Amino acid sequence: SHSNTSATVASALASALRSLDKELEVVQEVPNPDEETIDARVMLACVDAEYATTNACLEQFRAQVNNYRSIIPMIMPGYEMEDFSQWWPSSMPEMQQFSLFMDLR
């Protein structure tokens, strides 16, 4: 569901994380909605223009929030925001509780 630019940034980030910890499991794609959600301790949410409108992304995000996981939001190219005090997508009010970590636009 991510744009080509966001996918490229996510891939580079995954490579960097794997170089730090060879046993780290990195999931770059949102799984099929019919499958189980990912059981992660930390989720890097790469938020682009499509993220907040894709059902599979919303379901995975909410599953992690409901399981009290740590979420690190990263704003990707293509995401538009007018007010940094309300940077989260309107379709994802749960994201308000997490600090904006990085703006890669």
Side-chain angles (χ1 to χ4, degrees):
S1 71
H2 287 94
S3 68
N4 287 338
T5 303
S6 295
T8 300
V9 172
S11 180
L13 180 59
S15 293
L17 291 171
R18 284 188 192 106
S19 71
L20 296 172
D21 185 346
K22 301 292 183 208
E23 296 181 22
L24 182 70
E25 182 179 349
V26 177
V27 179
Q28 288 180 243
E29 306 247 347
V30 175
N32 182 325
D34 296 330
E35 297 175 10
E36 291 184 32
T37 59
I38 299 166
D39 185 25
R41 289 185 290 170
V42 176
M43 175 183 181
L44 297 177
C46 298
V47 182
D48 64 10
E50 298 174 29
Y51 187 87
T53 61
T54 304
N55 285 337
C57 290
L58 291 169
E59 288 174 17
Q60 188 60 244
F61 171 77
R62 289 193 174 113
Q64 298 306 320
V65 169
N66 291 337
N67 286 316
Y68 304 100
R69 304 299 188 226
S70 296
I71 297 176
I72 301 172
M74 299 174 65
I75 300 302
M76 306 302 275
Y79 179 76
E80 299 293 327
M81 87 175 82
E82 296 177 16
D83 182 358
F84 272 90
S85 68
Q86 294 182 341
W87 62 267
W88 54 91
S90 61
S91 62
M92 302 176 80
E94 307 91 341
M95 197 170 273
Q96 177 181 1
Q97 65 186 301
F98 303 101
S99 297
L100 178 58
F101 181 71
M102 188 176 296
D103 187 347
L104 297 170
R105 295 176 299 151

